[in-house]
Amino acid sequence: MIPQNFKDILSNTENAGFYQTLALIFFMFFFVALVIYVFSRPKKYYKEEEEAPLQDDENDDDFNLKN
């Protein structure tokens, strides 16, 4: 029998519950680490990034096509 999707492959293995639990733990660890990383950055970093699209670059003349 050819499995039709990923769910069929995992449901036929002995340790399907273990793999699902392991995947959930990895996801939660990654998510918590990402949240800690975002909140540990200083507010000044985000303020600079917030205003980046509005700042003029020194090399804007290369991109302006004037007739």
Side-chain angles (χ1 to χ4, degrees), residues 12-66:
N12 293 331
T13 62
E14 291 180 17
N15 301 325
F18 173 72
Y19 294 138
Q20 292 171 355
T21 304
L22 193 62
L24 178 65
I25 290 171
F26 282 145
F27 171 75
M28 292 299 294
F29 176 73
F30 177 77
F31 181 75
V32 169
L34 185 65
V35 168
I36 290 171
Y37 173 75
V38 168
F39 282 109
S40 68
R41 302 293 294 195
K43 289 185 180 183
K44 181 181 176 184
Y45 172 79
Y46 292 114
K47 190 66 172 172
E48 290 173 0
E49 294 299 320
E50 176 184 333
E51 295 172 356
L54 303 175
Q55 294 175 351
D56 289 333
D57 289 338
E58 295 171 359
N59 298 328
D60 266 350
D61 296 335
D62 296 339
F63 298 108
N64 291 338
L65 299 175
K66 296 180 182 178

